[in-house]
Amino acid sequence: MSFIDALFTSTSAMCVTGLVVFDTGTYFSTFGHWVILLLIQIGGIGFMTVATLFALILRRKISLKERLILQESLNQGSIEGLVRLVRKVIVYALALETVGAILFFIRFMFDMPVGKALYHGVFHSISIFNNAGFDLSGEFKSFSAYSSDVYMNIVSMALIILGGFGFIVLADLFDWRKKQRFSLHTKVVLSVTAILIVVGTLVIFIFEYTNGRSVGDTGFGHKLLVSLFQSVTTRSGGVTTVDVTEFRQATQFFIIILMFIGASPGSTGGGIKTTTFAVLVGAVLAMIRGKDDVVLFRLRLAQERVYKAVTVTLFCIGIVMLGTMVLATTEDAAFLKILFEVTSAFGTVGLSMGLTGDLTVTGKITIIILMFIGRLGPLTLTYALGPKQGRALYRHAEGKIIIG
């Protein structure tokens, strides 16, 4: 393996993306699998979370500076209860991954020896919960052998959705009995996730219903199951039960939109995030209705949040456009194929239309950068690299400009 391919695989694992130059199941050794798995685990729950875990194990005090960094990495409003939240993140992640591994192990025992079934169960549980998209199926087939297996589909979708909720939402869900209420963030994440899954399923189902190359020749139940799984996995999961290259172009473009939206803040997924999408829709509706405030679940959002949502979205669009232009220059492939690859990399999704293995060195470097930015977050990168400015001591006079 060349250095650039090793770097590509390492970045893809650490950024929990799943784009691969070589098939994970057949090309890599057992040692390689465990290296990938370790990177996925660290990248999924977060570097700062892992660092804090080691500090707690060594009984070392967490400094104020470390708490502030942790606050940013977990998207928290204050430093209060951060160490407690880190403990919850670790416990929830390990608990859900363990349950997923057991459920996968039970199913894999019917197809392979017990030892191999356990190995596959652990690998796929960690990979899928962290929305990484790496699999050991071989020959880039992903979960296509289980496209009609209801059990495997449900377990996989449950892990993808729970991983995509974000640890803040998971903590809220597990604390429901104590609090008897959800925060606004949790309500928005749950509702937007449900809407996107339902709408995505219906759109994919309608577009692919008569497509003989994908699911057109199968029964109604299988078509619905495949559509549901693709709707869930396209928002950061990365594993798939059908070949996306066989989808109609309309479906592929719709999948690009879902990948761009992505998962939720503080989760193992990428994209502009479900909450950003909700704020944008809320802002549009407020403008149409002639309202001054964006209101979600009868709560008004600060103007700063709306500006941030618009900024994140425009940055993301700009990054995807720039990445697409670079790859359109360096790669000999159809435009939709390139746009799909770029969005998948930036959204840390891992779905591909077969372009990854044919990328030039420049193309691989571009995708590596996109995966890194997508996992880090464009706004985080901008704040880190941009000039630090204090509060302005004056405001300019108001001007008028014609919009639309």
Side-chain angles (χ1 to χ4, degrees), residues 146-148 153 157 201 204-205 208 214-215 218-233 240-243 247:
Y146 301 100
S147 64
S148 58
N153 276 259
M157 286 189 291
T201 302
I204 295 171
F205 180 80
E208 295 301 310
S214 58
V215 294
T218 61
F220 181 87
H222 183 251
K223 290 176 183 177
L224 190 61
L225 185 63
V226 168
S227 301
L228 176 61
F229 190 89
Q230 303 319 305
S231 178
V232 171
T233 195
T240 180
T241 55
V242 290
D243 187 358
F247 282 158

Side-chain angles (χ1 to χ4, degrees), residues 129-287:
F129 173 74
N130 288 289
N131 283 209
F134 283 84
D135 67 87
L136 303 177
S137 303
E139 299 178 9
F140 299 103
K141 289 181 178 178
S142 195
F143 276 13
S144 57
Y146 301 100
S147 64
S148 58
D149 191 315
V150 177
Y151 178 88
M152 283 291 286
N153 276 259
I154 290 174
V155 173
S156 300
M157 286 189 291
L159 286 172
I160 292 170
I161 292 169
L162 289 170
F165 275 161
F167 295 109
I168 301 161
V169 175
L170 288 178
D172 227 10
L173 290 172
F174 281 107
D175 290 342
W176 163 252
R177 283 191 174 184
K178 293 180 183 177
K179 298 180 179 178
Q180 291 294 308
R181 65 186 179 86
F182 289 138
S183 64
L184 175 62
H185 174 80
T186 300
K187 289 178 182 177
V188 171
V189 168
L190 293 177
S191 56
V192 173
T193 299
I195 291 168
L196 288 174
I197 289 173
V198 172
V199 172
T201 302
L202 289 174
V203 172
I204 295 171
F205 180 80
I206 291 168
F207 285 172
E208 295 301 310
Y209 192 84
T210 57
N211 185 3
R213 293 180 301 170
S214 58
V215 294
D217 297 332
T218 61
F220 181 87
H222 183 251
K223 290 176 183 177
L224 190 61
L225 185 63
V226 168
S227 301
L228 176 61
F229 190 89
Q230 303 319 305
S231 178
V232 171
T233 195
T234 47
R235 290 193 20 262
S236 207
V239 290
T240 180
T241 55
V242 290
D243 187 358
V244 292
T245 59
E246 300 298 336
F247 282 158
R248 290 194 169 106
Q249 286 191 352
T251 311
Q252 291 167 347
F253 186 73
F254 180 72
I255 287 174
I256 289 172
I257 296 171
L258 290 178
M259 291 193 296
F260 185 74
I261 295 171
S264 303
S267 73
T268 56
I272 63 170
K273 304 295 190 291
T274 52
T275 47
T276 304
F277 179 69
V279 173
L280 289 176
V281 172
V284 171
L285 292 176
M287 180 63 70

